[in-house]
């Protein structure tokens, strides 16, 4: 197998936001901007034409033989969760660029222009909503709504994007909005491929996902003097809801729910909690299960609020329906794997991806490569160098294959 510099480039990117626990590269931070700058440096050196859209998504274009047709987009994201690893998202962006360079080296011409894309804000860690850049690009979220989002410190995305350290880059504005097809290569982030001893997965569908912010307001007081039957403890009410969420997801089977962030105020050992805010991330490939869990936590919140004398506000932030990948493109990815002597496994994705937004406006498909130990969203996230290279080779062939079969408009 010919090798690209995907491994070295991922190591370079991993310097931005690195700390002892992993990588923290939230949207529109100095570290994330440095990652975007490096992508631009690599793409410019390779001679690709760079553009940026108003939310900061970056596009590096390799021309096709028919300039008037819509481009095929290939990419992923450069931001990370607060405890992220070096591969989630970054791999798909670097691999896209490496694939374009590989097409150059081979002298392969495509009919469509091919664009390597770095979507911004896929994780939704800093600004709550996931797949923000691709959602704005696909017009599923308005630019104004996105720019008005605020982080925990109250800074709006609009302000963060004009800041010197984390803001937009100095690049030509993107005009093109059409997309002929979308491909994304990603690490699996789960254990299935490794357990099956298979190096390539073809994503069948991406899970549905609902995100909420919950706020519970009770009454603060002295931890020693207020009898237990006279309390409206916000944290006890939150705990009841959180355990009910867990029970509802287990009862549904095939649904998962996570409370990953919780803030207790005022936060004193000997002070009854007055206010608790927490995140809810509720997912299932089956929309009925996802909605059943959602209904269960609304009901528990209502009951707990009455019984405990607390006020509970559940704010729905984001919804993504389960998203099947395009059947024709999936077949193409299987053909590519077969031509490389690989048996690719059909796998569902429990993680969200930019592909679920772009699938709303164009045929989309994804390849996965294995994650060692199935670990992701942790600093220990790893994929073997061989699998990283194999993924780039598969993506390169997939671009040529999709270029040949996708409708031109
Ligand atoms: C993104 O990685 C997500 O699935 O939340
Ligand atoms: Mn990702
Ligand atoms: Mn992720």
């Amino acid at each position: 197998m010919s090798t690209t510099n995907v491994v070295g480039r991922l190591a370079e990117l991993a310097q931005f936001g690195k700390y002892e626990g992993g990588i923290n590269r939230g949207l529109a931070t100095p570290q994330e901007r440095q990652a975007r700058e490096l992508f631009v440096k690599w793409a410019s050196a390779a001679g690709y034409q760079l553009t940026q859209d108003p939310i900061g998504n970056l596009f590096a274009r390799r021309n096709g033989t028919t300039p008037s047709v819509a481009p095929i987009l290939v990419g992923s994201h450069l931001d990370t969760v607060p405890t992220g690893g070096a591969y989630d998202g970054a791999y798909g962006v670097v691999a896209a660029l490496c694939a374009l360079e590989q097409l150059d080296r081979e002298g392969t011409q495509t009919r469509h222009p091919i664009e390597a894309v770095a979507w911004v804000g896929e994780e939704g860690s800093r600004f709550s909503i996931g797949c923000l850049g691709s959602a704005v690009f696909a017009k599923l979220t308005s630019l104004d709504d996105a720019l008005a989002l605020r982080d925990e410190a109250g800074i709006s995305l609009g302000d963060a994007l004009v800041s010197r350290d984390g803001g937009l880059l100095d690049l030509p504005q993107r005009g093109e909005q059409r997309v002929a097809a979308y491909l994304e290569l990603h690490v699996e982030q789960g254990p299935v491929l490794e357990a099956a001893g298979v190096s390539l997965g073809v994503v069948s569908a991406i899970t549905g996902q609902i995100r909420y912010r919950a706020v519970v307001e009770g009454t603060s007081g002295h931890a020693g003097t207020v009898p237990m039957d006279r309390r409206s403890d916000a944290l006890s009410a939150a705990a009841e809801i959180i355990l009910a969420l867990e029970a509802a997801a287990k009862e549904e089977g095939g649904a998962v729910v996570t409370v990953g962030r919780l803030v207790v105020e005022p936060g004193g050992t000997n002070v009854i909690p007055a206010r608790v805010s927490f995140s809810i991330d509720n997912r299932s490939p089956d929309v009925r299960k996802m909605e059943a869990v959602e209904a269960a936590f609304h009901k528990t919140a209502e009951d707990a609020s009455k019984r405990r004398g607390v006020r509970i506000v559940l704010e729905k932030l984001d919804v993504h329906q389960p998203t099947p990948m395009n059947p024709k493109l999936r077949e193409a990815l299987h053909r590519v794997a077969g031509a490389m002597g690989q048996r690719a496994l059909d796998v569902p994705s429990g993680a969200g991806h930019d592909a679920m937004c772009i699938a709303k406006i164009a045929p989309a498909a994804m390849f996965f490569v294995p994650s060692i130990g199935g670990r992701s969203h942790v600093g220990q996230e790893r994929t073997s160098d061989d699998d990283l290279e194999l993924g780039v080779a598969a993506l390169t062939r997939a671009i040529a294959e999709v270029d040949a079969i996708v409708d031109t408009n």
Side-chain angles (χ1 to χ4, degrees), residues 111-354:
R111 284 187 303 145
H112 299 81
I114 314 292
E115 300 196 21
V117 190
W119 303 111
V120 292
E122 190 270 353
E123 297 290 4
S125 297
R126 180 172 176 196
F127 291 98
S128 309
I129 295 191
C131 297
L132 199 54
S134 52
V136 169
F137 180 84
K139 297 194 165 46
L140 307 176
T141 300
S142 78
L143 178 64
D144 287 347
D145 285 352
L147 296 180
L149 291 169
R150 289 184 185 273
D151 69 7
E152 295 279 305
I155 300 169
S156 74
L157 177 58
D159 286 344
L161 284 178
V162 293
S163 71
R164 198 162 47 88
D165 288 349
L168 295 172
L169 304 182
D170 186 15
L171 285 172
Q173 172 101 2
R174 181 176 180 77
E176 176 74 82
Q177 285 305 324
R178 298 168 308 157
V179 182
Y182 178 67
L183 292 173
E184 182 164 352
L185 172 62
H186 206 282
V187 290
E188 183 201 350
Q189 308 181 271
V192 175
L193 294 179
E194 184 182 59
V198 167
S199 287
L200 285 174
V202 174
V203 175
S204 48
I206 301 175
T207 186
Q209 184 179 153
I210 305 179
R211 288 190 188 187
Y212 271 83
R213 181 187 297 124
V215 178
V216 183
E217 284 171 341
T219 308
S220 196
H222 194 295
T225 61
V226 184
M228 293 308 283
D229 61 355
R230 309 266 308 258
R231 295 187 180 204
S232 292
D233 181 328
L235 183 56
S236 299
E240 188 177 324
I241 299 165
I242 293 167
L243 290 178
L245 277 172
E246 187 186 50
K250 283 184 176 165
E251 192 178 311
E252 284 305 321
V256 289
V257 70
T258 306
V259 173
R261 186 185 281 167
L262 183 139
V263 179
V264 182
E265 295 166 79
T269 309
N270 53 355
V271 185
I272 299 168
R275 188 176 192 275
V276 173
S277 53
F278 59 97
S279 60
I280 302 172
D281 177 316
N282 169 26
R283 304 184 188 202
S284 177
D286 179 342
V287 73
R288 284 164 311 172
K289 290 176 189 282
M290 191 166 78
E291 286 172 0
V293 173
E294 185 183 21
F297 66 75
H298 275 275
K299 165 115 190 29
T300 316
E302 208 180 303
D303 294 350
S305 151
K306 281 188 199 135
R307 238 181 316 103
R308 293 175 173 275
V310 295
R311 185 170 170 267
I312 302 177
V313 177
L314 296 174
E315 186 191 354
K316 197 178 209 163
L317 300 174
D318 201 10
V319 187
H320 292 279
Q321 300 300 331
T323 308
M325 295 288 94
N326 180 275
K328 203 165 139 190
L329 264 56
R330 281 176 60 194
E331 277 173 28
L333 298 196
H334 275 290
R335 274 199 304 281
V336 163
M340 293 172 68
Q342 299 286 325
R343 178 175 70 93
L345 216 60
D346 281 307
V347 280
S349 175
H353 298 289
D354 293 301

Side-chain angles (χ1 to χ4, degrees), residues 75-93:
S76 197
H77 59 98
L78 291 172
D79 65 317
T80 72
V81 293
T83 57
Y87 304 93
D88 175 1
Y91 175 49
V93 174

Side-chain angles (χ1 to χ4, degrees), residues 24-42:
N24 184 1
R25 214 161 52 216
L27 170 57
T29 58
Q31 297 76 16
E32 187 262 358
R33 188 181 200 268
Q34 284 174 310
R36 281 184 275 132
E37 280 171 346
L38 188 54
F39 171 80
V40 167
K41 186 177 142 200
W42 288 330

